[in-house]
Amino acid sequence: MISDRKRDHVNLTLTQPVEYLNTTGFDRVMFRHSALPELDFKDIDTSLTFLNKRLSFPLFISSMTGGYKDATPVNAMIAEFCETHQLAFGVGSQRAMLENPEHLASFSIARKKAPKTVICSNIGGVQLIGGLDKKSMNLLIDSIEADAILVHLNPLQELIQKEGDRNFQGVLEGIKKLVSEAPVPVLVKETGAGISGEVALRLVEVGVHGIDVAGVGGTSWAKVEDFRYENEKEKGPDFLMEWGMSTLQCLQEVAPLKERYSFILMASGGIRNAEHMLKSICLGADMSAMAAPILKTLHQSGLQGLDEEFSRWKDHFRKGMLLLGASRLDQLAEKKVYLV
Ligand SMILES: Cc1cc2nc3c(=O)[nH]c(=O)nc-3n(C[C@H](O)[C@H](O)[C@H](O)COP(=O)(O)O)c2cc1C
């Protein structure tokens, strides 16, 4: 059952070593320090407009959960956190809700707790093969009054998952149809194995409004699925557990497309602190995004712990901005990093 699987995913993320050994590549990225910033710290502004709403900080809480009973309080807490701090977030895959309306409440709680901020729907690319019917599309959006739909691409996860899909033909066509029919923007994300420049090009050419590269360096979905096998012989090989493109490589390939196409670029996969968020923006992303650490912090120290962590990230990020001589986010794209 999908709902049992979703519960397993959350539990495994909280209890098992499911992170990639390969890194984001961000250790190769150095900041171009400004010894003459000529700025006052109080003027450092991290706000931005994202999907037509004003947000306080370029951190998106990535799609994670919903679709089983215990997911309701988790989505409620993420929503409350995001509403308080004016951050954007996505609910987890809504497939379970389309198959069983009983699960709708675990998603709709998000909008109840976050009436104003940006919330994105979530559905798998594989579910779009052959086209998503209009009733389902509207349900995805209306259940949370979504500001956008995030489509996740996860062929690696599906191939490792015992019950996973094996046919990936027709996903791009399904995305194209969704883009033409949806009343809200359609964004596409990976789940940790990364989106290359070539894939990003095919996506923007069918009109997607945004791409979250979700590269290697954080949660490995191959590992999460692999932990679900009890029989050693069924487990996947090491090279697939580490499969994918680093978040740095993805950004380097995808960001240059912004010179020719207008789309939102998001960076996730192994974003763990203010340094990573700042590097993401300097590498051309409009928004950084994070999944597993949010879940872990909520589990260990609740909403208050997450609030405190976020305040630290924001303070560190603003200090970094000052040391780069940038008082606004758009100034971070101006050659503020170099690679070693
Ligand atoms: C417990 C958990 C559940 C997730 N469920 C979904 C999902 O339903 N839909 C989706 O698009 N991504 C899902 N993801 C993937 C994340 O959105 C993200 O792309 C990935 O974990 C990489 O980010 P991280 O390294 O910060 O964890 C999930 C991640 C976690 C940790």
Side-chain angles (χ1 to χ4, degrees):
M1 286 239 311
I2 303 178
S3 45
D4 293 336
R5 196 158 69 224
K6 286 303 284 180
R7 189 181 299 110
D8 281 359
H9 289 160
V10 169
N11 290 339
L12 289 167
T13 304
L14 291 173
T15 57
Q16 298 298 332
V18 295
E19 296 245 316
Y20 278 98
L21 298 176
N22 288 339
T23 70
T24 54
F26 281 12
D27 42 352
R28 288 184 52 219
V29 180
M30 306 295 286
F31 292 113
R32 194 175 295 282
H33 169 64
S34 170
L36 260 182
E38 295 288 340
L39 291 169
D40 184 336
F41 186 62
K42 73 171 170 29
D43 298 327
I44 306 295
D45 179 8
T46 58
S47 67
L48 72 160
T49 300
F50 180 75
L51 293 169
N52 295 324
K53 289 185 178 169
R54 205 67 198 149
L55 300 177
S56 74
F57 192 76
L59 175 65
F60 185 96
I61 310 307
S62 289
S63 320
M64 276 186 285
T65 199
Y68 63 98
K69 200 164 150 273
D70 298 344
T72 308
V74 181
N75 272 341
M77 278 196 284
I78 293 174
E80 206 177 316
F81 168 69
C82 289
E83 186 76 1
T84 305
H85 297 285
Q86 287 175 270
L87 299 174
F89 71 106
V91 295
S93 171
Q94 288 165 278
R95 182 179 167 192
M97 180 195 101
L98 295 182
E99 291 178 10
N100 181 353
E102 194 182 294
H103 296 309
L104 198 138
S106 66
F107 295 97
S108 56
I109 186 76
R111 187 49 91 191
K112 283 198 193 104
K113 294 283 177 182
K116 293 208 190 86
T117 200
V118 172
I119 312 182
C120 295
S121 290
N122 190 280
I123 192 74
V126 172
Q127 274 72 60
L128 303 182
I129 295 174
L132 188 68
D133 63 274
K134 283 224 166 103
K135 190 170 161 230
S136 299
M137 179 186 78
N138 289 334
L139 195 56
L140 288 186
I141 300 168
D142 296 345
S143 57
I144 56 168
E145 295 166 49
D147 296 277
I149 302 178
L150 259 173
V151 176
H152 66 263
L153 305 179
N154 63 342
L156 171 65
Q157 179 187 4
E158 297 289 348
L159 287 178
I160 302 294
Q161 187 181 103
K162 196 184 287 183
E163 328 79 319
D165 288 296
R166 297 290 183 267
N167 175 22
F168 305 96
Q169 282 182 316
V171 172
L172 188 63
E173 198 53 38
I175 292 173
K176 186 176 174 185
K177 184 167 178 277
L178 186 64
V179 168
S180 70
E181 292 178 352
V184 294
V186 175
L187 284 64
V188 177
K189 71 190 281 290
E190 235 285 346
T191 54
I195 290 185
S196 67
E198 179 269 325
V199 169
L201 180 60
R202 284 195 275 156
L203 291 169
V204 290
E205 291 217 309
V206 299
V208 306
H209 296 79
I211 292 175
D212 177 353
V213 297
V216 163
T219 310
S220 160
W221 275 89
K223 291 189 186 180
V224 175
E225 293 297 350
D226 213 50
F227 271 110
R228 297 180 58 234
Y229 289 106
E230 279 162 24
N231 183 345
E232 278 298 316
K233 288 193 184 131
E234 287 182 293
K235 288 187 180 286
D238 287 349
F239 86 102
L240 290 181
M241 297 303 111
E242 291 294 324
W243 184 272
M245 295 170 62
S246 73
T247 300
L248 171 63
Q249 182 64 26
C250 295
L251 286 172
Q252 285 188 294
E253 292 189 17
V254 180
L257 291 178
K258 290 181 80 183
E259 286 164 23
R260 285 189 287 143
Y261 297 87
S262 167
F263 66 102
I264 298 166
L265 178 56
M266 295 166 65
S268 77
I271 304 301
R272 296 293 177 260
N273 52 41
E275 177 191 343
H276 298 156
M277 295 169 202
L278 193 55
K279 285 181 176 173
S280 301
I281 309 298
C282 292
L283 289 162
D286 302 292
M287 178 67 97
S288 65
M290 189 191 263
I294 301 294
L295 200 64
K296 288 181 186 169
T297 306
L298 276 177
H299 184 71
Q300 281 157 15
S301 21
L303 256 181
Q304 197 189 334
L306 189 57
D307 282 341
E308 287 166 9
E309 186 84 302
F310 175 69
S311 300
R312 279 192 292 273
W313 288 333
K314 193 169 176 181
D315 179 57
H316 299 166
F317 188 99
R318 291 180 67 237
K319 285 176 176 155
M321 279 180 74
L322 184 135
L323 293 170
L324 291 169
S327 62
R328 297 189 322 266
L329 294 176
D330 58 358
Q331 295 164 341
L332 290 174
E334 299 161 3
K335 296 196 173 64
K336 300 293 189 193
V337 288
Y338 58 95
L339 294 192
V340 291

